[in-house]
Amino acid sequence: MKRMVFIFILFIVTIIGCILEGRYVCKTFLYLEDRLYYVQQQLQKNTENMNTEENIKLLKELHEEWTEKKKVLKIFVWHTNLKDVEVGLSRIQSYTAENDYTEAYTEIQNLIDFSKHFRQDYELNLQNIF
């Protein structure tokens, strides 16, 4: 009887841990998406002269925020996936500094799509459980 109770408690703790992990990952990538949409709006204000100090500072802050969040995400997520986000953020910064709106916009869209698909992989639903 004690073994059954122990196994049941272990099962419940594991399920709760998985739910919390999924929620954290989804929330973090949703945060990234929201920030990328905001960056996109800021860059669209003046596509001819988007390499302003304000935009570059905004992107630097986003990259720093992501670096902090990445420290915890490394526990749950493959490092190569996080590296893809890092590379994308660096490209956006470079394209913005070079005043290349088309490439910056494309890279922002790529990261937004990546984030959406990644969140879907961690959402709590029956398809992901089985």
Side-chain angles (χ1 to χ4, degrees), residues 58-80:
L58 175 68
L59 286 164
K60 199 174 277 190
E61 288 172 359
L62 173 58
H63 205 151
E64 289 170 2
E65 291 168 2
W66 178 255
T67 301
E68 286 300 311
K69 292 186 179 296
K70 183 179 73 170
K71 290 176 184 176
V72 177
L73 280 176
K74 282 183 175 182
I75 298 169
F76 307 116
V77 178
W78 284 92
H79 296 271
T80 53

mmCIF file of all heavy atoms in Angstrom, residues 58-80:
data_model
loop_
_atom_site.group_PDB
_atom_site.id
_atom_site.type_symbol
_atom_site.label_atom_id
_atom_site.label_comp_id
_atom_site.label_asym_id
_atom_site.label_seq_id
_atom_site.Cartn_x
_atom_site.Cartn_y
_atom_site.Cartn_z
ATOM 1 N N LEU A 58 16.618 49.899 -28.020
ATOM 2 C CA LEU A 58 15.490 48.986 -27.815
ATOM 3 C C LEU A 58 15.893 47.544 -28.121
ATOM 4 O O LEU A 58 15.591 46.629 -27.350
ATOM 5 C CB LEU A 58 14.315 49.405 -28.703
ATOM 6 C CG LEU A 58 13.093 48.507 -28.712
ATOM 7 C CD1 LEU A 58 12.390 48.546 -27.367
ATOM 8 C CD2 LEU A 58 12.138 48.940 -29.814
ATOM 9 N N LEU A 59 16.594 47.351 -29.216
ATOM 10 C CA LEU A 59 17.029 46.005 -29.588
ATOM 11 C C LEU A 59 18.084 45.461 -28.632
ATOM 12 O O LEU A 59 18.086 44.273 -28.303
ATOM 13 C CB LEU A 59 17.556 46.003 -31.023
ATOM 14 C CG LEU A 59 16.458 46.106 -32.077
ATOM 15 C CD1 LEU A 59 17.024 46.489 -33.420
ATOM 16 C CD2 LEU A 59 15.695 44.798 -32.150
ATOM 17 N N LYS A 60 18.955 46.321 -28.172
ATOM 18 C CA LYS A 60 19.969 45.895 -27.209
ATOM 19 C C LYS A 60 19.306 45.456 -25.902
ATOM 20 O O LYS A 60 19.678 44.449 -25.309
ATOM 21 C CB LYS A 60 20.955 47.041 -26.961
ATOM 22 C CG LYS A 60 22.269 46.606 -26.365
ATOM 23 C CD LYS A 60 23.235 47.767 -26.284
ATOM 24 C CE LYS A 60 23.902 47.909 -27.637
ATOM 25 N NZ LYS A 60 25.029 48.844 -27.610
ATOM 26 N N GLU A 61 18.299 46.209 -25.471
ATOM 27 C CA GLU A 61 17.560 45.852 -24.253
ATOM 28 C C GLU A 61 16.844 44.517 -24.421
ATOM 29 O O GLU A 61 16.846 43.685 -23.507
ATOM 30 C CB GLU A 61 16.558 46.946 -23.889
ATOM 31 C CG GLU A 61 17.189 48.196 -23.357
ATOM 32 C CD GLU A 61 16.188 49.333 -23.178
ATOM 33 O OE1 GLU A 61 14.983 49.147 -23.502
ATOM 34 O OE2 GLU A 61 16.617 50.406 -22.735
ATOM 35 N N LEU A 62 16.221 44.321 -25.577
ATOM 36 C CA LEU A 62 15.536 43.055 -25.845
ATOM 37 C C LEU A 62 16.524 41.897 -25.788
ATOM 38 O O LEU A 62 16.246 40.858 -25.193
ATOM 39 C CB LEU A 62 14.835 43.087 -27.208
ATOM 40 C CG LEU A 62 14.219 41.774 -27.684
ATOM 41 C CD1 LEU A 62 13.197 41.245 -26.693
ATOM 42 C CD2 LEU A 62 13.603 41.937 -29.055
ATOM 43 N N HIS A 63 17.675 42.080 -26.385
ATOM 44 C CA HIS A 63 18.694 41.026 -26.387
ATOM 45 C C HIS A 63 19.158 40.725 -24.959
ATOM 46 O O HIS A 63 19.324 39.559 -24.582
ATOM 47 C CB HIS A 63 19.879 41.448 -27.255
ATOM 48 C CG HIS A 63 20.659 40.299 -27.789
ATOM 49 N ND1 HIS A 63 21.331 40.357 -28.959
ATOM 50 C CD2 HIS A 63 20.877 39.055 -27.310
ATOM 51 C CE1 HIS A 63 21.935 39.201 -29.179
ATOM 52 N NE2 HIS A 63 21.674 38.402 -28.191
ATOM 53 N N GLU A 64 19.340 41.755 -24.152
ATOM 54 C CA GLU A 64 19.741 41.556 -22.755
ATOM 55 C C GLU A 64 18.650 40.849 -21.955
ATOM 56 O O GLU A 64 18.933 39.956 -21.152
ATOM 57 C CB GLU A 64 20.094 42.898 -22.109
ATOM 58 C CG GLU A 64 21.378 43.497 -22.623
ATOM 59 C CD GLU A 64 21.604 44.922 -22.162
ATOM 60 O OE1 GLU A 64 20.774 45.465 -21.393
ATOM 61 O OE2 GLU A 64 22.619 45.513 -22.586
ATOM 62 N N GLU A 65 17.388 41.243 -22.174
ATOM 63 C CA GLU A 65 16.273 40.586 -21.491
ATOM 64 C C GLU A 65 16.209 39.112 -21.876
ATOM 65 O O GLU A 65 15.978 38.243 -21.026
ATOM 66 C CB GLU A 65 14.954 41.270 -21.855
ATOM 67 C CG GLU A 65 14.805 42.656 -21.288
ATOM 68 C CD GLU A 65 13.637 43.417 -21.902
ATOM 69 O OE1 GLU A 65 12.913 42.848 -22.759
ATOM 70 O OE2 GLU A 65 13.452 44.589 -21.542
ATOM 71 N N TRP A 66 16.392 38.843 -23.153
ATOM 72 C CA TRP A 66 16.342 37.464 -23.619
ATOM 73 C C TRP A 66 17.481 36.647 -23.003
ATOM 74 O O TRP A 66 17.289 35.496 -22.628
ATOM 75 C CB TRP A 66 16.400 37.389 -25.140
ATOM 76 C CG TRP A 66 16.396 35.971 -25.592
ATOM 77 C CD1 TRP A 66 17.456 35.256 -26.064
ATOM 78 C CD2 TRP A 66 15.295 35.056 -25.557
ATOM 79 N NE1 TRP A 66 17.069 33.958 -26.331
ATOM 80 C CE2 TRP A 66 15.760 33.825 -26.029
ATOM 81 C CE3 TRP A 66 13.962 35.184 -25.179
ATOM 82 C CZ2 TRP A 66 14.923 32.715 -26.131
ATOM 83 C CZ3 TRP A 66 13.138 34.081 -25.280
ATOM 84 C CH2 TRP A 66 13.621 32.863 -25.751
ATOM 85 N N THR A 67 18.646 37.250 -22.892
ATOM 86 C CA THR A 67 19.789 36.558 -22.300
ATOM 87 C C THR A 67 19.484 36.142 -20.867
ATOM 88 O O THR A 67 19.832 35.034 -20.443
ATOM 89 C CB THR A 67 21.049 37.449 -22.354
ATOM 90 O OG1 THR A 67 21.321 37.763 -23.727
ATOM 91 C CG2 THR A 67 22.254 36.754 -21.764
ATOM 92 N N GLU A 68 18.807 37.000 -20.122
ATOM 93 C CA GLU A 68 18.420 36.653 -18.743
ATOM 94 C C GLU A 68 17.411 35.512 -18.727
ATOM 95 O O GLU A 68 17.520 34.584 -17.930
ATOM 96 C CB GLU A 68 17.847 37.883 -18.027
ATOM 97 C CG GLU A 68 18.884 38.902 -17.639
ATOM 98 C CD GLU A 68 19.937 38.337 -16.696
ATOM 99 O OE1 GLU A 68 19.564 37.696 -15.689
ATOM 100 O OE2 GLU A 68 21.130 38.529 -16.975
ATOM 101 N N LYS A 69 16.423 35.582 -19.594
ATOM 102 C CA LYS A 69 15.399 34.535 -19.640
ATOM 103 C C LYS A 69 15.990 33.217 -20.128
ATOM 104 O O LYS A 69 15.569 32.137 -19.716
ATOM 105 C CB LYS A 69 14.231 34.964 -20.523
ATOM 106 C CG LYS A 69 13.454 36.117 -19.922
ATOM 107 C CD LYS A 69 12.232 36.422 -20.727
ATOM 108 C CE LYS A 69 11.440 37.553 -20.118
ATOM 109 N NZ LYS A 69 10.892 37.266 -18.810
ATOM 110 N N LYS A 70 16.982 33.316 -20.987
ATOM 111 C CA LYS A 70 17.614 32.124 -21.555
ATOM 112 C C LYS A 70 18.309 31.293 -20.481
ATOM 113 O O LYS A 70 18.376 30.069 -20.590
ATOM 114 C CB LYS A 70 18.613 32.556 -22.622
ATOM 115 C CG LYS A 70 19.299 31.426 -23.340
ATOM 116 C CD LYS A 70 20.245 31.949 -24.384
ATOM 117 C CE LYS A 70 21.450 32.524 -23.681
ATOM 118 N NZ LYS A 70 22.552 32.866 -24.573
ATOM 119 N N LYS A 71 18.790 31.949 -19.445
ATOM 120 C CA LYS A 71 19.481 31.224 -18.368
ATOM 121 C C LYS A 71 18.574 30.163 -17.747
ATOM 122 O O LYS A 71 19.027 29.065 -17.442
ATOM 123 C CB LYS A 71 19.975 32.196 -17.301
ATOM 124 C CG LYS A 71 21.107 33.074 -17.767
ATOM 125 C CD LYS A 71 21.501 34.080 -16.708
ATOM 126 C CE LYS A 71 22.578 35.017 -17.227
ATOM 127 N NZ LYS A 71 22.912 36.052 -16.238
ATOM 128 N N VAL A 72 17.306 30.492 -17.562
ATOM 129 C CA VAL A 72 16.356 29.528 -17.000
ATOM 130 C C VAL A 72 15.876 28.560 -18.089
ATOM 131 O O VAL A 72 15.734 27.361 -17.839
ATOM 132 C CB VAL A 72 15.161 30.251 -16.348
ATOM 133 C CG1 VAL A 72 14.136 29.265 -15.830
ATOM 134 C CG2 VAL A 72 15.634 31.165 -15.233
ATOM 135 N N LEU A 73 15.657 29.067 -19.279
ATOM 136 C CA LEU A 73 15.163 28.211 -20.362
ATOM 137 C C LEU A 73 16.125 27.080 -20.699
ATOM 138 O O LEU A 73 15.701 26.015 -21.146
ATOM 139 C CB LEU A 73 14.908 29.041 -21.626
ATOM 140 C CG LEU A 73 13.612 29.813 -21.682
ATOM 141 C CD1 LEU A 73 13.562 30.653 -22.945
ATOM 142 C CD2 LEU A 73 12.419 28.895 -21.619
ATOM 143 N N LYS A 74 17.415 27.302 -20.482
ATOM 144 C CA LYS A 74 18.396 26.262 -20.793
ATOM 145 C C LYS A 74 18.136 24.976 -20.025
ATOM 146 O O LYS A 74 18.564 23.907 -20.437
ATOM 147 C CB LYS A 74 19.815 26.755 -20.482
ATOM 148 C CG LYS A 74 20.366 27.674 -21.522
ATOM 149 C CD LYS A 74 21.805 28.045 -21.173
ATOM 150 C CE LYS A 74 22.417 28.864 -22.266
ATOM 151 N NZ LYS A 74 23.817 29.197 -21.970
ATOM 152 N N ILE A 75 17.426 25.073 -18.928
ATOM 153 C CA ILE A 75 17.089 23.885 -18.142
ATOM 154 C C ILE A 75 16.067 23.027 -18.889
ATOM 155 O O ILE A 75 16.116 21.807 -18.833
ATOM 156 C CB ILE A 75 16.519 24.296 -16.766
ATOM 157 C CG1 ILE A 75 17.566 25.075 -15.977
ATOM 158 C CG2 ILE A 75 16.038 23.084 -15.986
ATOM 159 C CD1 ILE A 75 17.014 25.742 -14.725
ATOM 160 N N PHE A 76 15.169 23.675 -19.635
ATOM 161 C CA PHE A 76 14.034 22.983 -20.232
ATOM 162 C C PHE A 76 14.128 22.758 -21.736
ATOM 163 O O PHE A 76 13.468 21.876 -22.270
ATOM 164 C CB PHE A 76 12.743 23.771 -19.975
ATOM 165 C CG PHE A 76 12.496 24.100 -18.532
ATOM 166 C CD1 PHE A 76 12.466 25.413 -18.110
ATOM 167 C CD2 PHE A 76 12.310 23.103 -17.599
ATOM 168 C CE1 PHE A 76 12.242 25.732 -16.781
ATOM 169 C CE2 PHE A 76 12.084 23.405 -16.273
ATOM 170 C CZ PHE A 76 12.053 24.726 -15.864
ATOM 171 N N VAL A 77 14.902 23.585 -22.433
ATOM 172 C CA VAL A 77 14.842 23.651 -23.891
ATOM 173 C C VAL A 77 16.218 23.315 -24.473
ATOM 174 O O VAL A 77 17.246 23.645 -23.882
ATOM 175 C CB VAL A 77 14.417 25.072 -24.332
ATOM 176 C CG1 VAL A 77 14.393 25.205 -25.833
ATOM 177 C CG2 VAL A 77 13.038 25.406 -23.759
ATOM 178 N N TRP A 78 16.205 22.704 -25.662
ATOM 179 C CA TRP A 78 17.456 22.418 -26.356
ATOM 180 C C TRP A 78 18.228 23.709 -26.583
ATOM 181 O O TRP A 78 17.671 24.713 -27.011
ATOM 182 C CB TRP A 78 17.175 21.777 -27.715
ATOM 183 C CG TRP A 78 16.791 20.350 -27.628
ATOM 184 C CD1 TRP A 78 15.510 19.866 -27.538
ATOM 185 C CD2 TRP A 78 17.648 19.218 -27.604
ATOM 186 N NE1 TRP A 78 15.536 18.502 -27.469
ATOM 187 C CE2 TRP A 78 16.838 18.074 -27.503
ATOM 188 C CE3 TRP A 78 19.025 19.063 -27.666
ATOM 189 C CZ2 TRP A 78 17.356 16.794 -27.456
ATOM 190 C CZ3 TRP A 78 19.550 17.789 -27.624
ATOM 191 C CH2 TRP A 78 18.722 16.672 -27.524
ATOM 192 N N HIS A 79 19.518 23.650 -26.359
ATOM 193 C CA HIS A 79 20.364 24.827 -26.514
ATOM 194 C C HIS A 79 20.416 25.327 -27.956
ATOM 195 O O HIS A 79 20.533 26.526 -28.188
ATOM 196 C CB HIS A 79 21.788 24.532 -26.015
ATOM 197 C CG HIS A 79 21.843 24.241 -24.555
ATOM 198 N ND1 HIS A 79 21.998 25.232 -23.623
ATOM 199 C CD2 HIS A 79 21.750 23.085 -23.864
ATOM 200 C CE1 HIS A 79 22.010 24.690 -22.415
ATOM 201 N NE2 HIS A 79 21.851 23.388 -22.531
ATOM 202 N N THR A 80 20.295 24.422 -28.909
ATOM 203 C CA THR A 80 20.335 24.846 -30.313
ATOM 204 C C THR A 80 19.139 25.725 -30.650
ATOM 205 O O THR A 80 19.260 26.655 -31.443
ATOM 206 C CB THR A 80 20.373 23.632 -31.269
ATOM 207 O OG1 THR A 80 19.292 22.756 -30.957
ATOM 208 C CG2 THR A 80 21.688 22.893 -31.153
#
